[in-house]
Amino acid sequence: MNMLTLFIGTRNEEKIQAVRTAFASHFRRPLDSIQVTGIDVPSTVRSQPIGRAETQTGAAARANNVRNVGINTHESQSGCYFVGIENGLVFDDDLTVDLACAVVCFVDNGECSQRAGWSDAMALPLELRRRPGEGEDEWIEQYRAVIMPMVRAKQDLYLYFSQNTRTRREAMETAVTRALLQLE
């Protein structure tokens, strides 16, 4: 079986494994037949994107930037995939939710087909939701003060906030799968 080659715009191992798993499942291939190369590239958005538009812009920038780098590291771009993933926060009425957006670019004969897929929304607990009238920068500072110790301890925030019903990796796999479905 030929290797399926793809590049992802990060060196984050959790994102690399989510992409590998989603591609293996989607194409019904063994995990060891999926070659994923992670390359650090800029997202061009804030470290914590706010809103769907900024989140998708960041994911698309990562996919496009890794494609530009991938040209120099892969002898032929034909039949190659380039992926960008970004997690962002969205304020929706009285809810604050976290969403993963994956942008997948498939290059065939020099032409790029690009689609975005989204995870299901994961509502943040009440104590972390943005309150009416609260400034965005002020809220982000408070949010980071709560979550950064968890991030440093390598705690899965999705698992914690969903009361052990879903992981961040599963959310990213869903987003990648939904993008792939649109490329068919």
Side-chain angles (χ1 to χ4, degrees):
M1 178 176 287
N2 292 341
M3 291 294 278
L4 184 62
T5 303
L6 50 126
F7 294 86
I8 179 171
T10 184
R11 288 188 189 260
N12 178 305
E13 194 59 36
E14 183 180 37
K15 289 181 179 184
I16 290 169
Q17 292 308 318
V19 167
R20 178 177 281 117
T21 301
F23 270 76
S25 176
H26 181 77
F27 290 107
R28 295 183 175 90
R29 297 173 66 119
L31 285 172
D32 62 1
S33 71
I34 312 288
Q35 179 184 342
V36 182
T37 303
I39 301 171
D40 276 327
V41 295
S43 69
T44 70
V45 297
R46 295 181 273 194
S47 61
Q48 179 56 72
I50 302 293
R52 284 182 176 269
E54 185 177 359
T55 304
Q56 186 168 340
T57 296
R62 287 187 188 277
N64 292 326
N65 288 336
V66 79
R67 179 178 175 215
N68 292 337
V69 173
I71 290 170
N72 300 321
T73 58
H74 192 261
E75 63 278 355
S76 165
Q77 276 200 336
S78 197
C80 193
Y81 290 87
F82 301 90
V83 182
I85 299 177
E86 200 72 46
N87 275 70
L89 297 169
V90 176
F91 306 118
D92 186 18
D93 296 323
D94 61 342
L95 286 179
T96 302
V97 299
D98 188 296
L99 294 164
C101 179
V103 172
V104 177
C105 173
F106 176 68
V107 176
D108 190 30
N109 295 321
E111 295 295 317
C112 175
S113 297
Q114 184 170 294
R115 298 291 182 269
W118 291 87
S119 70
D120 294 327
M122 199 248 341
L124 297 184
L126 285 173
E127 64 271 14
L128 286 179
R129 294 183 187 166
R130 186 173 170 198
R131 288 156 187 72
E134 186 174 26
E136 194 173 278
D137 292 336
E138 174 189 356
W139 178 83
I140 289 174
E141 229 176 270
Q142 292 173 4
Y143 174 76
R144 286 186 178 280
V146 172
I147 67 154
M148 288 315 291
M150 294 180 200
V151 170
R152 282 191 216 72
K154 303 217 183 286
Q155 186 172 2
D156 185 323
L157 298 177
Y158 270 60
L159 200 58
Y160 178 78
F161 293 142
S162 70
Q163 300 175 339
N164 297 325
T165 60
R166 83 183 221 223
T167 67
R168 181 171 183 253
R169 181 172 159 182
E170 289 168 339
M172 291 184 288
E173 288 172 17
T174 297
V176 172
T177 299
R178 288 176 176 167
L180 287 170
L181 286 169
Q182 295 179 60
L183 284 172
E184 294 180 339

